[in-house]
Amino acid sequence: SLGKPFFGITYTQTEPGRVIYITTEDGIADTIVPRLMWCGADLNMIYTIEDPKGELKFSNIDAFDLYLDQVKPALMILDPFQSFLGGNVDGNSANEIRALLNPVIALAEKYDTTIVFICHYNKNNLGDAITTILGSMDTMATARSYLALGNVPGDQNSTKYMSHEKSSTQAAGQTILFRIDPENGGVV
């Protein structure tokens, strides 16, 4: 929303861009907006959609198309990914996941936007960073890039990590350690 480099990484887009944030879990007013404020986001550039009943699904791709057409965002965030699958979709089926995601990929290309899926880890925590994601491996297979985020085990300072686990377009970036510190500008 600010057009500033994140973690010192340079981007081709240096102008502020609009963001659509769609969530089915967290409240916009009590959770999402305070987090955005902590990180110094320009709230005028962020469009939020709260879907607590989980009615917005990938099977209704026209709704996503409408949002993208109206807002023309640089970024759209879907939180959490699994909520947009629908009750009749087997999240572990590569064929079903691929069929749902291909139209989403086409929308990202049509609107020249980045679509971020926030995915949850499975409960057994077995496997590497890619195989611990809930559901089909095809979710990660369709992604151009995959960043794993989490808490650094045993750290008393709430340090988090961001690890670039997959990149289809260039070399993966280095793992970055950070904290969220509202008094020092958000992400430090």
Side-chain angles (χ1 to χ4, degrees), residues 2-11 13-15 187:
L2 300 173
K4 292 175 21 180
F6 188 59
F7 291 125
I9 300 167
T10 57
Y11 303 99
Q13 179 177 339
T14 57
E15 297 296 317
V187 178

Short mmCIF file of all heavy atoms in Angstrom, two decimals, residues 2-11 13-15 187:
data_model
loop_
_atom_site.label_atom_id
_atom_site.label_comp_id
_atom_site.label_asym_id
_atom_site.label_seq_id
_atom_site.Cartn_x
_atom_site.Cartn_y
_atom_site.Cartn_z
N LEU A 2 2.12 1.12 0.34
CA LEU A 2 3.01 2.28 0.39
C LEU A 2 3.98 2.35 -0.78
O LEU A 2 4.59 3.39 -1.02
CB LEU A 2 3.82 2.27 1.70
CG LEU A 2 3.01 2.33 2.99
CD1 LEU A 2 3.91 2.15 4.20
CD2 LEU A 2 2.22 3.63 3.09
N GLY A 3 4.16 1.24 -1.48
CA GLY A 3 5.12 1.20 -2.57
C GLY A 3 6.56 1.16 -2.10
O GLY A 3 7.48 1.40 -2.87
N LYS A 4 6.75 0.85 -0.82
CA LYS A 4 8.10 0.80 -0.26
C LYS A 4 8.64 -0.63 -0.31
O LYS A 4 7.87 -1.59 -0.22
CB LYS A 4 8.08 1.26 1.21
CG LYS A 4 7.77 2.72 1.35
CD LYS A 4 7.61 3.23 2.78
CE LYS A 4 8.21 2.44 3.87
NZ LYS A 4 8.00 3.00 5.21
N PRO A 5 9.96 -0.78 -0.42
CA PRO A 5 10.55 -2.13 -0.39
C PRO A 5 10.25 -2.82 0.94
O PRO A 5 10.25 -2.18 1.99
CB PRO A 5 12.05 -1.88 -0.53
CG PRO A 5 12.16 -0.51 -1.10
CD PRO A 5 10.96 0.25 -0.61
N PHE A 6 9.99 -4.10 0.87
CA PHE A 6 9.72 -4.91 2.05
C PHE A 6 10.95 -5.74 2.32
O PHE A 6 11.45 -6.43 1.43
CB PHE A 6 8.49 -5.78 1.77
CG PHE A 6 7.98 -6.52 2.97
CD1 PHE A 6 7.56 -5.84 4.09
CD2 PHE A 6 7.88 -7.90 2.96
CE1 PHE A 6 7.05 -6.52 5.19
CE2 PHE A 6 7.38 -8.58 4.05
CZ PHE A 6 6.96 -7.88 5.17
N PHE A 7 11.48 -5.69 3.53
CA PHE A 7 12.69 -6.41 3.91
C PHE A 7 13.87 -6.01 3.02
O PHE A 7 14.75 -6.82 2.75
CB PHE A 7 12.50 -7.93 3.85
CG PHE A 7 11.57 -8.47 4.90
CD1 PHE A 7 10.47 -9.23 4.55
CD2 PHE A 7 11.79 -8.23 6.24
CE1 PHE A 7 9.62 -9.75 5.51
CE2 PHE A 7 10.95 -8.75 7.21
CZ PHE A 7 9.86 -9.50 6.84
N GLY A 8 13.86 -4.79 2.48
CA GLY A 8 14.97 -4.34 1.65
C GLY A 8 15.00 -4.94 0.26
O GLY A 8 15.95 -4.76 -0.48
N ILE A 9 13.94 -5.66 -0.13
CA ILE A 9 13.88 -6.28 -1.44
C ILE A 9 13.35 -5.24 -2.43
O ILE A 9 12.36 -4.56 -2.17
CB ILE A 9 12.94 -7.50 -1.43
CG1 ILE A 9 13.45 -8.54 -0.42
CG2 ILE A 9 12.80 -8.11 -2.81
CD1 ILE A 9 12.44 -9.63 -0.11
N THR A 10 14.01 -5.07 -3.57
CA THR A 10 13.55 -4.11 -4.55
C THR A 10 12.54 -4.77 -5.49
O THR A 10 12.63 -5.96 -5.79
CB THR A 10 14.72 -3.54 -5.37
OG1 THR A 10 15.43 -4.63 -5.97
CG2 THR A 10 15.68 -2.76 -4.49
N TYR A 11 11.59 -3.98 -5.94
CA TYR A 11 10.53 -4.45 -6.81
C TYR A 11 10.48 -3.58 -8.04
O TYR A 11 10.95 -2.45 -8.04
CB TYR A 11 9.16 -4.37 -6.11
CG TYR A 11 9.09 -5.12 -4.81
CD1 TYR A 11 9.23 -4.46 -3.60
CD2 TYR A 11 8.89 -6.48 -4.79
CE1 TYR A 11 9.15 -5.14 -2.41
CE2 TYR A 11 8.82 -7.17 -3.61
CZ TYR A 11 8.95 -6.50 -2.42
OH TYR A 11 8.87 -7.18 -1.24
N GLN A 13 7.62 -2.47 -9.21
CA GLN A 13 6.61 -1.46 -8.90
C GLN A 13 7.07 -0.68 -7.67
O GLN A 13 7.24 -1.24 -6.60
CB GLN A 13 5.26 -2.11 -8.60
CG GLN A 13 4.21 -1.08 -8.23
CD GLN A 13 2.84 -1.69 -8.02
OE1 GLN A 13 2.57 -2.78 -8.48
NE2 GLN A 13 1.99 -0.98 -7.32
N THR A 14 7.26 0.60 -7.84
CA THR A 14 7.70 1.43 -6.71
C THR A 14 6.63 2.42 -6.28
O THR A 14 6.83 3.19 -5.37
CB THR A 14 8.98 2.20 -7.08
OG1 THR A 14 8.72 2.98 -8.25
CG2 THR A 14 10.14 1.25 -7.32
N GLU A 15 5.50 2.41 -6.96
CA GLU A 15 4.38 3.27 -6.58
C GLU A 15 3.47 2.51 -5.63
O GLU A 15 3.37 1.29 -5.71
CB GLU A 15 3.60 3.70 -7.83
CG GLU A 15 4.40 4.53 -8.81
CD GLU A 15 4.83 5.86 -8.23
OE1 GLU A 15 4.00 6.50 -7.55
OE2 GLU A 15 5.99 6.23 -8.43
N VAL A 187 7.17 -3.86 10.90
CA VAL A 187 8.04 -5.01 10.65
C VAL A 187 9.48 -4.56 10.80
O VAL A 187 9.95 -3.66 10.12
CB VAL A 187 7.79 -5.61 9.25
CG1 VAL A 187 8.74 -6.76 8.98
CG2 VAL A 187 6.35 -6.07 9.13
#
